[in-house]
Amino acid sequence: MSVLETAAGPSRRAGRSPAVRMTALAVLVCAVACAGLFAGRGVTGEGVRAVLLGGGDPMAEHIVLRLRLPRLLVALVAGASLGVAGLVLQSALRNPLAGPEVTGVTPGAVLGAVAATGLGLAGWESPAAVVVAACLGGFAGAGLLWLLAGREKGDPEQTAVYGVLVSAVLAGLTAVVLLVAPGELGSVVQWLIGSTEGRVWQHWHLLWPWAALWGAAAWLLAAPLTLLRCGDEQASAAGLDAGRGRAAALVCAVALTAGAVAAVGALGFVGLLVPHLALAVFGADLRITLPGAALLGAAVVCGADAAAQLLSRLLVVALDADRLTVPVGALTTFVGAGLLLAVARRRTDER
């Protein structure tokens, strides 16, 4: 039996039919997408239904087709990108704590986007420049972690410590940029917190080809990544150059994260927790689990966006504040931190 077959074993034992699980997950994505389409303010459920059926007044049509629909699609693709990026990082580094948020990738991408905006090199009128700046920042953050980790790359706890350190440094640099250019605070807060508010078709047209390209590249690396999860020695025994395979995987992870950050900002804990859920559902064969992580990430972000919109509506009524909105990044960070704390305490109790 080959190393790849050994690594794929848990996937076969995890469920009799991965296709059934994938189909059920696709149905879940469709359900949360519908919830997101109906959850916003300004148009009632009947109005949304009328627009989708080809009717409705011009205002409702504008809100549904030019605001809600692109926002929904951007949330889906950004979530899928973060889910795949997180799984690629954790597999390439053999570190269950190696999410984009705690390896310097997301903070670096945020720093790149904020710095480019503060310097006037990027902005809403030039979203492609934001992606480039976010990529540069993401690669810088990942490279800094790589240099600091040194020989300890194989130690998950040590890498996690260095990742938190790098992320804190990059967050501090972002704060410095905001102090230097305080007038840009309103335009960059979306990248600091993470928000799908105001996403239009321009963001969608830029995000989906980028995500499709790097998502396909990540899937083509599924077999090498599955081998890397077994360890460098086993991967080398199977004929894989572990260094090159890991480098290619990191490029894909950083590119996917940068694209998502450029579109919706830093969505906390999505790239860290979604891969664990995907592995629990689909097993260790990444040829199956990578698409599963994409669907799970899309469902999580889209569901969180729908929940954030519903919560915003409730707070508007309760506080009588028309402009109050809950950013989706705040919700994913709050829920993700709670889940991570619960898991950590459970493992501590088990010991």
Side-chain angles (χ1 to χ4, degrees), residues 64-303:
V64 173
L65 299 183
R66 294 181 178 270
L67 297 178
R68 289 194 190 179
L69 186 57
R71 172 178 179 161
L72 165 67
L73 294 174
V74 168
L76 288 171
V77 176
S81 298
L82 291 174
V84 172
L87 182 54
V88 169
L89 276 175
Q90 292 176 11
S91 300
L93 300 178
R94 296 189 66 209
N95 188 342
L97 301 178
E101 305 89 340
V102 292
T103 54
V105 178
T106 293
V110 170
L111 175 60
V114 170
T117 302
L119 294 173
L121 302 177
W124 286 109
E125 69 281 358
S126 55
V130 177
V131 174
V132 173
C135 278
L136 293 176
F139 280 114
L144 182 58
L145 174 61
W146 191 260
L147 290 175
L148 286 177
R151 297 181 179 180
E152 305 297 332
K153 296 183 183 73
D155 186 344
E157 294 182 358
Q158 192 72 21
T159 303
V161 171
Y162 282 124
V164 172
L165 176 62
V166 169
S167 298
V169 170
L170 294 174
L173 291 175
T174 301
V176 170
V177 172
L178 293 178
L179 289 175
V180 173
E184 300 295 334
L185 179 60
S187 61
V188 302
V189 70
Q190 56 183 320
W191 291 303
L192 299 175
I193 301 176
S195 174
T196 55
E197 190 77 20
R199 299 314 182 264
V200 293
W201 287 112
Q202 186 180 13
H203 299 92
W204 162 251
H205 293 318
L206 182 67
L207 178 60
W208 80 260
W210 181 268
L213 172 65
W214 291 106
W219 188 81
L220 291 175
L221 291 172
L225 283 170
T226 303
L227 291 173
L228 287 175
R229 289 181 62 86
C230 300
D232 288 2
E233 293 183 1
Q234 290 86 343
S236 298
L240 174 68
D241 187 327
R244 291 183 179 180
R246 184 174 291 109
L250 292 178
V251 169
C252 289
V254 172
L256 285 168
T257 302
V261 168
V264 300
L267 300 181
F269 292 100
V270 175
L272 179 62
L273 295 180
V274 165
H276 292 276
L277 183 58
L279 289 168
V281 173
F282 295 102
D285 186 355
L286 299 188
R287 293 169 295 187
I288 298 173
T289 309
L290 279 170
L295 288 176
L296 281 168
V300 166
V301 173
C302 187

Side-chain angles (χ1 to χ4, degrees), residues 268-269 328-340:
F269 292 100
V328 62
L331 197 59
T332 61
T333 300
F334 179 79
V335 175
L339 290 175
L340 190 61

Side-chain angles (χ1 to χ4, degrees), residues 21-96:
R21 297 188 177 205
M22 198 73 73
T23 302
L25 188 54
V27 172
L28 175 62
V29 171
C30 292
V32 296
C34 290
L37 202 58
F38 282 81
R41 290 174 285 180
V43 181
T44 64
E46 285 296 329
V48 174
R49 190 176 296 108
V51 171
L52 295 179
L53 294 176
D57 59 82
M59 179 61 71
E61 183 178 352
H62 174 81
I63 293 175
V64 173
L65 299 183
R66 294 181 178 270
L67 297 178
R68 289 194 190 179
L69 186 57
R71 172 178 179 161
L72 165 67
L73 294 174
V74 168
L76 288 171
V77 176
S81 298
L82 291 174
V84 172
L87 182 54
V88 169
L89 276 175
Q90 292 176 11
S91 300
L93 300 178
R94 296 189 66 209
N95 188 342

